[in-house]
Amino acid sequence: EGAVKIVGRREDREILRDRQLVLFNDVLVIAKRTARGLKFKRRLDMAGMTVFMEEDTGGTQRCFCLKLPSNELVKVLAPTEAEKGSWFTAADDVVATLAVKEQLMGIAAIQKMIDKGEIDEGVLRDFRRERKSKEPVVEATFVLAIVEQMKDPVMGLVIKDRKHHLKTYHRTFLGSEAVGWMKTHLHLDSRHQAINLGNALLRSRIICQAPREKDAPFQDGPMLYRFVECVDNARPA
């Protein structure tokens, strides 16, 4: 939350309106501060929004822009260069997180349709053929981004060597911890949604069980998992 100026136009000149921004997990609220408190002016859904820098307002370099799915442009002037950077980063992170959530939910929904036999046989054959290839089924930047966040040594999952039935499995994480992480960092409504995403990552061969159990679903519990790319290098040098 913070005070900014919204850049608008009146006739042929640019005007600045004092506004208060409040950023939530999926929306940005624009309000006006009055003697009685904040007066709601507008709500902007962050999904599908584009955030970028703008360097030309009154000779300053403190602007960033929000481009809505309707192509409407909202130009924001921050009080300082540092605050512009903070707002830009926060808004961009929300947009990126929502994109990841939407795409991963789409993957889970498609996989569910496949499991129920609701997808055309031709599409299903292509999907199965792709699954047998050397590359993961899902090769998209949003998946790579979320996987990198999950592997982050500070903000990500606890990835370490663990024992199961007297055998050590290297570089693993717990299913329950992954569910909690996805629910928190992707702002999901329930652990069930996170389990669906875990199944999507599992069936797309981005993660795997350790030890492996054929066709076993992703579990919100003490089951061990690891990233497929880690399997070949699981043993320490």
Side-chain angles (χ1 to χ4, degrees):
E1 179 180 347
V4 299
K5 294 183 185 295
I6 300 296
V7 183
R9 297 198 71 83
R10 180 176 294 167
E11 297 177 349
D12 60 346
R13 64 189 181 89
E14 219 169 48
I15 59 172
L16 301 177
R17 297 184 177 93
D18 291 324
R19 292 292 184 263
Q20 195 81 7
L21 296 187
V22 184
L23 181 62
F24 296 93
N25 290 338
D26 55 356
V27 298
L28 179 68
V29 173
I30 301 176
K32 180 180 179 181
R33 186 169 292 282
T34 68
R36 296 183 178 181
L38 293 179
K39 180 180 180 181
F40 174 82
K41 299 297 290 185
R42 191 174 181 187
R43 164 187 166 144
L44 301 178
D45 291 323
M46 301 295 289
M49 184 184 290
T50 303
V51 187
F52 62 93
M53 294 292 193
E54 172 67 43
E55 298 183 353
D56 182 22
T57 299
T60 70
Q61 295 185 350
R62 295 185 274 113
C63 268
F64 66 94
C65 293
L66 310 171
K67 186 176 182 181
L68 310 186
S70 63
N71 286 328
E72 178 187 353
L73 201 63
V74 178
K75 187 185 290 188
V76 183
L77 177 63
T80 66
E81 184 74 18
E83 288 180 82
K84 179 192 78 170
S86 297
W87 271 112
F88 175 84
T89 300
D92 196 49
D93 284 348
V94 169
V95 171
T97 298
L98 289 173
V100 169
K101 177 179 175 180
E102 180 182 358
Q103 296 287 357
L104 286 177
M105 291 298 287
I107 294 170
I110 291 172
Q111 182 64 56
K112 194 171 183 180
M113 291 174 68
I114 290 173
D115 293 342
K116 289 183 176 180
E118 297 175 353
I119 287 185
D120 178 82
E121 277 300 314
V123 175
L124 183 55
R125 281 195 301 272
D126 291 342
F127 181 85
R128 286 172 174 162
R129 187 182 307 117
E130 208 172 349
R131 287 185 68 176
K132 293 177 182 178
S133 69
K134 294 182 179 179
E135 298 299 325
V137 174
V138 183
E139 295 179 328
T141 54
F142 60 85
V143 175
L144 297 177
I146 196 63
V147 167
E148 288 305 310
Q149 290 183 45
M150 292 174 77
K151 293 190 294 184
D152 186 276
V154 177
M155 301 299 294
L157 299 171
V158 178
I159 299 176
K160 63 180 183 179
D161 297 349
R162 291 179 170 88
K163 284 190 175 181
H164 180 73
H165 294 323
L166 302 180
K167 182 176 179 179
T168 299
Y169 294 90
H170 301 283
R171 301 175 67 181
T172 63
F173 58 88
L174 297 176
S176 56
E177 291 183 0
V179 168
W181 189 94
M182 288 188 285
K183 182 179 183 297
T184 299
H185 288 77
L186 299 181
H187 310 296
L188 303 179
D189 297 326
S190 66
R191 294 182 74 87
H192 180 70
Q193 285 187 344
I195 292 170
N196 287 340
L197 299 187
N199 275 314
L201 295 176
L202 186 66
R203 289 163 176 162
S204 298
R205 300 194 293 112
I206 293 172
I207 64 174
C208 65
Q209 291 177 319
R212 297 191 182 220
E213 291 185 24
K214 186 177 181 182
D215 299 327
F218 188 85
Q219 297 179 32
D220 182 4
M223 174 62 71
L224 301 182
Y225 297 91
R226 56 189 174 192
F227 295 100
V228 170
E229 66 183 39
C230 296
V231 173
D232 294 336
N233 301 312
R235 295 183 177 83

